[in-house]
Amino acid sequence: MTELSGKSAHKPSPQTSVKKLLRQARKAYLATLDRQNGGPYASLVTLATSVDGAPLILISKLAVHTQNILADPRVGLVVDGTSAEGDPLAEGRVSLMGRAAVTESDSDKRRFLARHTGAQMYAEFPDFAFYRLEIDSAHYVGGFGRIVDLRALDVLIETGKAASLIEAEPGILEHMNADHADALALYAAHALGVPQDPASWKMTGIDPEGLDIVGPAGALRIVFPAPIATPGDARKALAALANEARTSTALSA
């Protein structure tokens, strides 16, 4: 999927590609160590990201993978960005290694449920908890011959100067979804190259490097031309993206 800004004829860097894979993914494959025999155990989980890009999952203590994590928090997570068409081995995917730990962050919980609204019904069950993956390293494969090992710092983004933006995130999402659905549809239309229904797209997160929206075509990552840190920066960036999309649409009409 095409980034709205910062387009280039060159391939994006591995760091940029991994960040985009994580932000756009709605599911991943979780690998844990079996608590009984120590062997690998793989399962499918739904995925969201913390404001800094760390993976978030919501899992039950009754599940085998959760019981494994409680015995040994070391995990692996595979995010597959390949499409149904063509050779899947020629496209991007990333393996993350680290440790899973329960997160009590209101921001983490809110961001997960904004991305997976159907999870609200069981998120309050006593056996369910939100977990954050503390990344140690990443292994990115962007196709044949494009293989890179990355550090956590390469995958996560700096949020230390964006406290006011993080605090304002719920209000920004509510405002955009209630009053600016047309702008969200513009972002999606520009990224996908086809018109989109404004009622179909919802904004699920904003952070210093971009915003996330979900709709009928899946999840999209919209990248800002430059990092932002405040709600004021966000207003300017969102307006600029809408103007860019309108101009592009008019030129291509």
Side-chain angles (χ1 to χ4, degrees):
M1 296 178 183
T2 306
E3 291 178 359
L4 191 57
S5 291
K7 295 178 182 178
S8 171
H10 302 290
K11 286 186 177 181
S13 69
Q15 292 89 337
T16 298
S17 297
V18 169
K19 288 179 180 181
K20 187 178 180 184
L21 277 173
L22 289 176
R23 296 290 190 179
Q24 293 193 160
R26 300 189 73 189
K27 61 183 171 66
Y29 301 97
L30 175 68
T32 56
L33 297 172
D34 190 280
R35 69 193 188 287
Q36 295 180 337
N37 60 32
Y41 176 84
S43 54
L44 180 68
V45 293
T46 49
L47 186 71
T49 53
S50 184
V51 69
D52 66 354
L56 302 172
I57 58 176
L58 174 62
I59 51 179
S60 167
K61 287 182 180 178
L62 303 178
V64 172
H65 49 223
T66 310
Q67 296 173 24
N68 291 342
I69 289 171
L70 293 174
D72 188 330
R74 291 178 296 170
V75 300
L77 196 73
V78 175
V79 177
D80 178 8
T82 63
S83 63
E85 299 81 24
D87 184 353
L89 295 181
E91 299 182 56
R93 60 270 192 195
V94 62
S95 298
L96 303 172
M97 287 68 73
R99 296 172 184 270
V102 171
T103 173
E104 298 293 347
S105 164
D106 290 336
S107 174
D108 286 349
K109 295 175 183 179
R110 184 176 63 245
R111 288 175 65 88
F112 187 97
L113 294 175
R115 199 169 183 82
H116 301 283
T117 55
Q120 184 72 58
M121 63 180 292
Y122 52 85
E124 301 300 328
F125 291 176
D127 59 299
F128 275 85
F130 295 89
Y131 283 74
R132 170 188 165 102
L133 175 59
E134 300 295 344
I135 300 171
D136 291 330
S137 61
H139 183 74
Y140 171 67
V141 181
F144 298 114
R146 194 163 186 245
I147 303 172
V148 182
D149 288 318
L150 300 169
R151 304 166 301 165
L153 291 176
D154 297 320
V155 175
L156 303 177
I157 67 172
E158 176 58 49
T159 62
K161 298 180 180 179
S164 62
L165 175 67
I166 296 170
E167 183 179 358
E169 183 185 38
I172 294 172
L173 267 60
E174 182 179 2
H175 175 64
M176 290 297 294
N177 289 330
D179 300 330
H180 295 287
D182 55 338
L184 301 180
L186 272 173
Y187 302 156
H190 187 52
L192 297 170
V194 292
Q196 297 293 320
D197 177 6
S200 299
W201 290 91
K202 298 293 182 183
M203 186 171 168
T204 63
I206 187 168
D207 58 75
E209 291 190 356
L211 64 125
D212 304 305
I213 58 176
V214 295
L220 290 176
R221 175 66 170 176
I222 311 299
V223 179
F224 296 135
I228 65 172
T230 68
D233 293 343
R235 284 191 292 272
K236 294 176 183 177
L238 292 168
L241 288 175
N243 289 334
E244 179 186 338
R246 289 189 187 97
T247 300
S248 178
T249 299
L251 291 174
S252 61

